[in-house]
């Protein structure tokens, strides 16, 4: 009887020690989940304001469209606003309004008809830049685009690379809209705070 009690106590001790060591090992393996750091340690001590100006080329017609419809509702065609239509775009961004002018990036994302009564697109777009020091940096736009208004403002909700912590707004103005092909060239002015 006493022997088995001792054996049991020994096993219990061993088990407790094992648990203790394994928990020490586990805490030693992982850095803490949360800690406060200074903005300086990420080189975030100086906020900048940038203005970007470019043209967005949305081609839906012809053999090489840059925006394609990927979904729609059964009743989408019953709405003059094409409510429910969803398009995926990979639109070139250029320095001038001419399609052959210098490419500085691409607008990749989704626009969808989100309004039943007037034409209002929901825009979810990442601008990916390829020019100079901006190469590889991105800005994310999320907003409402009332495409038949002369000027539309949409929020810039984030960014990466040069545009980390980016926030600001984009002002879009249609430069050319071809009513036959529905292709559009849109002028963008983007104002963004970043570090
Ligand atoms: C941008 O970066 C990519 C890869 O990092 C490189 O291949 C490309 O040549 C760069 N483009 C410009 C315009 O600097
Ligand atoms: C619209 O596109 C058609 C077909 O490509 C072209 O013939 C016409 O000139 C264009 N209109 C404008 C205003 O650019």
């Amino acid at each position: 009887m006493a022997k088995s009690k001792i054996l049991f106590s020994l096993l219990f001790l061993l088990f407790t020690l094992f648990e203790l060591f394994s928990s020490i090992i586990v805490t030693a393996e992982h850095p803490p989940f949360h800690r406060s750091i200074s903005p300086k340690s990420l080189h975030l001590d100086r906020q900048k304001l940038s203005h970007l100006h470019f043209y967005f080329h949305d081609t839906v017609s012809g053999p090489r469209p840059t925006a394609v419809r990927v979904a729609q509702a059964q009743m989408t065609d019953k709405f003059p606003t094409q409510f429910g239509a969803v398009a995926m775009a990979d639109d070139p961004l250029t320095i001038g309004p001419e399609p052959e002018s210098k490419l500085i990036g691409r607008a990749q994302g989704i626009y969808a008809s989100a309004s039943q009564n007037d034409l209002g697109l929901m825009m979810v777009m990442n601008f990916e830049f390829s020019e100079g020091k901006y190469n590889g940096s991105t800005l994310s736009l999320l907003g409402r685009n009332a495409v038949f208004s002369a000027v539309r403002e949409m929020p810039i909700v984030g960014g990466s690379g040069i545009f980390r912590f980016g926030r600001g707004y984009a002002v879009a103005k249609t430069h050319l809209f071809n009513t036959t092909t529905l292709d559009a060239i849109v002028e963008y002015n983007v104002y963004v705070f970043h570090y």
Side-chain angles (χ1 to χ4, degrees):
M1 210 58 174
K3 253 187 192 166
S4 65
K5 245 186 191 166
I6 290 167
L7 194 65
F8 179 79
S9 303
L10 262 175
L11 278 174
F12 183 75
L13 186 69
L14 273 175
F15 181 74
T16 312
L17 279 174
F18 176 76
E19 284 281 280
L20 187 68
F21 278 118
S22 56
S23 71
I24 286 170
I25 289 164
V26 166
T27 35
E29 259 177 2
H30 299 288
F33 153 66
H34 169 270
R35 67 194 170 111
S36 291
I37 58 171
S38 73
K40 234 183 181 134
S41 66
L42 287 180
H43 309 289
L44 298 175
D45 37 354
R46 205 167 66 82
Q47 186 171 256
K48 303 178 196 80
L49 179 63
S50 290
H51 172 207
L52 307 163
H53 179 245
F54 51 82
Y55 290 84
F56 168 103
H57 300 261
D58 191 61
T59 306
V60 295
S61 70
R64 296 189 57 199
T66 59
V68 291
R69 187 171 292 199
V70 292
Q72 69 173 59
Q74 242 168 17
M75 28 111 80
T76 288
D77 287 331
K78 295 205 175 88
F79 287 93
T81 62
Q82 291 282 292
F83 177 63
V86 179
M88 180 70 73
D90 181 4
D91 288 346
L93 304 175
T94 61
I95 219 156
E98 313 79 22
E100 58 284 349
S101 80
K102 189 178 166 63
L103 186 78
I104 54 104
R106 309 193 73 85
Q108 299 177 334
I110 291 170
Y111 58 80
S113 175
S115 182
Q116 298 189 340
N117 301 314
D118 55 343
L119 191 55
L121 301 181
M122 180 199 63
M123 305 274 287
V124 185
M125 284 276 168
N126 293 313
F127 294 135
E128 185 205 22
F129 298 98
S130 52
E131 176 62 13
K133 67 172 179 168
Y134 297 99
N135 191 10
S137 293
T138 66
L139 281 176
S140 297
L141 175 147
L142 174 65
R144 179 176 198 271
N145 189 358
V147 287
F148 288 139
S149 301
V151 177
R152 292 88 72 184
E153 181 182 324
M154 290 166 277
I156 297 290
V157 296
S160 73
I162 273 200
F163 297 120
R164 277 179 192 164
F165 286 95
R167 63 193 198 290
Y169 64 98
V171 178
K173 225 164 111 182
T174 302
H175 176 78
L176 206 97
F177 179 65
N178 190 317
T179 49
T180 313
T181 61
L182 307 181
D183 294 344
I185 299 172
V186 183
E187 181 184 14
Y188 269 82
N189 278 287
V190 176
Y191 301 89
V192 61
F193 275 123
H194 60 103
Y195 287 90

